[in-house]
Amino acid sequence: MYGDRIKKHIFTRRVDQFFRDIYDISKFFRTFFKEAFKRPFHFNELINQCYEVGYRSLPLITLTGFIIGIVFTIQSRPPLENFGASSWLPSLMGIAIIKSLGPLVTSLICAGKVGSGIGAELGSMKVTEQIEAMEVSSIHPFKYLVVNRILATTITIPILSFYCCFIALMGSFINVHFEESSSIITFYQNAFSTITFIDIIESTIKAVTYGFTIGFVGCYNGYNASQGTRGVGRAANLAVVYAMFIIFIEEILIVQIFTWIINS
Amino acid sequence: MDKIKQHFIDKEEQVISISGLYKSFGDLKVLNGIDFTLYKGENVAILGKSGTGKSVLIKIIVGLLRPDRGEVFALGKPVHSLNHKDLDALRLRIGFSFQSSALYDGMNVYQNLAFPLTMNAKHLTKKEVDTAVEKVLDAVNLRNKKKQMPSELSGGQRKRIGIARTLILKPEIMLYDEPTAGLDPITSTEIIQLINEVQQRYNTSSIIITHDLTCARNTSDRTAMLLDGRFAKVGQFDEIFNTEDQHLKEFYNYNFIQ
Ligand SMILES: Nc1ncnc2c1ncn2[C@@H]1O[C@H](COP(=O)(O)OP(=O)(O)OP(=O)(O)O)[C@@H](O)[C@H]1O
Ligand SMILES: [Mg+2]
């Protein structure tokens, strides 16, 4: 009997919490758009944050992008050769990398590197009262900390994504060059032969969406960190887990939407 | 320590007045009907056990928390019902020294001090900012620490930089949240001196929240005792100290053992 009551209690509390979270998140979302277009704009801080995002993740993206390009090419070669279709390899790689792998790999790396950094940084500012300290000196912490960070990831991650595509194609080219000794120009021509303008748009939209997601989720978790040092670790952790989860859902949705657009 | 205070308290002018203030978090009732007035030029120490809501009270005064019920006027403005813009303007006139110092740990001391100034007064030249920073560093006696990061400072130095950061906006009211907590007696004495110097030099009215009886006695013109969410007693420090009230005695004894 008691157990029943407690269970129900926990259940209603969960549901309660769920709706409260939805409310909080949508409020955070609205506040972001309201504050993003309001003066004052902190351009220096924005550039600073963009630099941080790029600086933190560039080496890892370079390495991962290159390896992914080369590994995918090596492993796709035998099945294509069985069909005598190894000349399609560059264009296959072009599609895979530009449409999907580039944005996805970049944003997963950034979720781990940048998202957790934002979560931890804002989380520790929250629990050590630095955010309140800004508030009492009439500096709007949401505008200064959150808006600039979300904008920074939204701007920088697409750039990183293009960079990642370029590096991955370079990796791919190296394998193709050793196997078939084709020139870099032929390789890129082949790689882009089936890529259309709408594919580039799709790739960009993906990267922008993921960039926004990483900044938003990181900031939301950090900014709402609960008191104590445990809250900081939790914020960083949640920032990564939720960002990755949401990115995969967005990937499916965007792919569906674009397939539908192209077909109609 | 002998304290010779030579400042003028204007009993006519109320800088903070609070009436019928209630605040709870969920089921936890923290403040239960606070009535309080701070006069111009006056230092009031608020004593109370840990967790009685001292920090909550001053956070309500600067509008960081909203009261459930009651009125809070600071410098004549109703804090509980101000819009964002007016609240910003009011906050510039109130200095808030945090219990944890709350220095921005990504910035060095100079940047910490310059930040509130440059964000609020964009027209200032680099030279003017420099001068202002020098001046407050002078006031807190830490001229040679400009380049240090907060993590390289001692607890007492962080407290002082925290106070300097609020002084740079030339506040009319200072709110100190446990300025001497966790400091050794000598450093505490320095902070106490600093609080009194600030009162005289900047002509501020202050609320000093503390567990520390030495600090309360040496900084305050009046002392208030917060107990179970309301002020159990307000008056001169000695008056409060020589009470027969059992609850209050408990608090003092506890303090002496420490
Ligand atoms: N944002 C909050 N949400 C929920 N409860 C809170 C919040 N802030 C404070 N409390 C609760 O209110 C009570 C009073 O807290 P407060 O920080 O004011 O205590 P205090 O008197 O300053 O204690 P200390 O001397 O330890 O600083 C505590 O029980 C605390 O748990
Ligand atoms: Mg406190």
Side-chain angles (χ1 to χ4, degrees):
Chain A
M1 198 188 111
Y2 255 110
D4 247 26
R5 229 161 74 193
I6 289 168
K7 240 185 222 156
K8 219 181 229 165
H9 189 60
I10 289 174
F11 179 71
T12 43
R13 235 181 21 207
R14 284 267 163 82
V15 174
D16 224 47
Q17 191 57 44
F18 177 73
F19 283 107
R20 207 167 311 154
D21 285 348
I22 298 244
Y23 173 79
D24 286 346
I25 291 169
S26 57
K27 196 168 144 200
F28 205 79
F29 196 77
R30 266 182 295 142
T31 315
F32 169 76
F33 281 101
K34 217 171 71 192
E35 294 280 327
F37 297 105
K38 217 164 67 182
R39 282 171 175 282
F41 303 111
H42 312 292
F43 287 114
N44 285 342
E45 175 64 10
L46 178 61
I47 289 167
N48 203 3
Q49 289 302 327
C50 288
Y51 176 76
E52 280 285 311
V53 174
Y55 176 78
R56 274 192 213 163
S57 47
L58 204 58
L60 205 53
I61 287 176
T62 311
L63 186 70
T64 323
F66 187 76
I67 289 174
I68 282 184
I70 209 162
V71 166
F72 267 66
T73 315
I74 291 172
Q75 298 199 320
S76 312
R77 184 175 290 283
L80 283 180
E81 266 172 354
N82 285 345
F83 293 111
S86 59
S87 60
W88 287 1
L89 201 50
S91 80
L92 181 70
M93 284 300 115
I95 293 173
I97 288 169
I98 291 170
K99 284 184 73 170
S100 199
L101 282 174
L104 202 57
V105 166
T106 308
S107 52
L108 290 182
I109 289 172
C110 287
K113 202 90 181 123
V114 178
S116 66
I118 291 176
E121 192 181 9
L122 292 195
S124 80
M125 291 189 81
K126 176 71 187 285
V127 303
T128 56
E129 297 178 307
Q130 291 175 52
I131 289 183
E132 287 182 333
M134 282 193 184
E135 240 170 290
V136 296
S137 22
S138 297
I139 301 160
H140 293 190
F142 195 98
K143 174 95 200 181
Y144 189 79
L145 299 172
V146 174
V147 171
N148 286 323
R149 277 173 178 72
I150 296 181
L151 287 180
T153 54
T154 315
I155 293 167
T156 315
I157 287 176
I159 297 172
L160 289 172
S161 165
F162 281 125
Y163 169 77
C164 180
C165 293
F166 173 73
I167 292 289
L169 285 173
M170 280 311 281
S172 178
F173 164 71
I174 283 176
N175 178 268
V176 171
H177 181 70
F178 275 110
E179 297 284 333
E180 298 161 20
S181 67
S182 63
S183 78
I184 190 162
I185 296 177
T186 342
F187 174 80
Y188 269 89
Q189 269 171 355
N190 287 339
F192 278 92
S193 62
T194 48
I195 297 289
T196 58
F197 181 62
I198 203 149
D199 293 333
I200 304 280
I201 301 265
E202 180 179 349
S203 177
T204 314
I205 286 181
K206 277 183 181 177
V208 169
T209 315
Y210 304 158
F212 178 82
T213 306
I214 290 165
F216 186 87
V217 174
C219 287
Y220 177 79
N221 283 300
Y223 204 73
N224 293 309
S226 50
Q227 304 299 312
T229 36
R230 271 185 63 215
V232 180
R234 214 176 103 84
N237 196 302
L238 289 181
V240 180
V241 174
Y242 280 122
M244 288 190 174
F245 178 68
I246 296 171
I247 284 171
F248 281 117
I249 292 179
E250 284 167 347
E251 169 86 11
I252 294 177
L253 290 179
I254 294 174
V255 167
Q256 288 295 329
I257 290 171
F258 270 88
T259 317
W260 180 74
I261 288 176
I262 290 168
N263 288 342
S264 62
Chain B
M1 183 174 59
D2 241 352
K3 184 181 51 148
I4 308 158
K5 285 194 159 193
Q6 306 160 311
H7 59 275
F8 177 66
I9 298 174
D10 185 357
K11 284 268 180 190
E12 296 290 303
E13 195 174 336
Q14 307 183 346
V15 290
I16 293 178
S17 80
I18 298 175
S19 56
L21 181 70
Y22 289 80
K23 175 76 187 173
S24 45
F25 295 101
D27 295 335
L28 181 73
K29 288 201 174 73
V30 179
L31 301 178
N32 282 314
I34 299 264
D35 296 300
F36 174 74
T37 309
L38 179 73
Y39 297 102
K40 189 166 174 56
E42 181 186 39
N43 276 1
V44 173
I46 296 180
L47 288 168
K49 267 201 307 207
S50 191
T52 43
K54 304 182 298 296
S55 298
V56 169
L57 175 64
I58 56 169
K59 281 183 179 173
I60 289 176
I61 294 175
V62 287
L64 283 174
L65 293 170
R66 295 227 156 226
D68 299 338
R69 199 137 55 86
E71 292 188 321
V72 182
F73 285 87
L75 298 165
K77 303 277 177 2
V79 181
H80 53 281
S81 62
L82 281 184
N83 61 25
H84 273 294
K85 211 167 143 228
D86 294 339
L87 190 59
D88 278 348
L90 177 64
R91 279 170 172 171
L92 291 179
R93 301 167 68 192
I94 303 178
F96 193 115
S97 154
F98 283 84
Q99 191 164 353
S100 59
S101 304
L103 300 182
Y104 307 123
D105 50 21
M107 304 181 187
N108 67 22
V109 167
Y110 175 87
Q111 290 163 331
N112 258 285
L113 297 176
F115 188 58
L117 200 59
T118 47
M119 293 297 284
N120 284 300
K122 293 217 171 5
H123 58 273
L124 289 183
T125 62
K126 172 100 176 54
K127 201 145 174 246
E128 285 168 316
V129 175
D130 279 351
T131 321
V133 170
E134 296 281 349
K135 214 169 135 198
V136 288
L137 276 176
D138 225 36
V140 300
N141 231 330
L142 282 176
R143 249 154 278 120
N144 49 354
K145 299 285 181 197
K146 255 203 297 198
K147 292 275 179 307
Q148 238 95 333
M149 295 304 279
S151 55
E152 298 163 347
L153 299 175
S154 73
Q157 290 168 341
R158 291 165 133 259
K159 276 270 154 61
R160 280 198 263 173
I161 297 297
I163 293 171
R165 190 178 61 186
T166 65
L167 289 178
I168 205 161
L169 294 172
K170 301 211 176 73
E172 292 158 55
I173 301 175
M174 281 297 291
L175 307 173
Y176 299 93
D177 197 348
E178 312 215 359
T180 61
L183 301 179
D184 64 86
I186 296 171
T187 316
S188 292
T189 311
E190 288 170 10
I191 297 281
I192 290 167
Q193 268 169 4
L194 175 60
I195 292 174
N196 287 328
E197 272 168 31
V198 166
Q199 182 186 22
Q200 268 153 40
R201 202 197 271 215
Y202 291 84
N203 200 13
T204 54
S205 328
S206 325
I207 293 179
I208 301 128
I209 283 181
T210 185
H211 303 144
D212 178 359
L213 294 178
T214 320
C215 173
R217 184 174 62 202
N218 292 313
T219 55
S220 68
D221 302 300
R222 277 190 306 152
T223 302
M225 181 81 201
L226 191 62
L227 200 74
D228 298 329
R230 51 172 79 219
F231 283 123
K233 217 154 176 21
V234 185
Q236 300 284 314
F237 180 82
D238 294 328
E239 256 172 65
I240 297 209
F241 191 66
N242 297 324
T243 177
E244 289 306 313
D245 189 312
Q246 210 45 49
H247 287 297
L248 303 193
K249 281 216 131 136
E250 219 174 77
F251 181 76
Y252 299 139
N253 290 337
Y254 164 77
N255 247 276
F256 279 126
I257 292 165
Q258 283 211 316

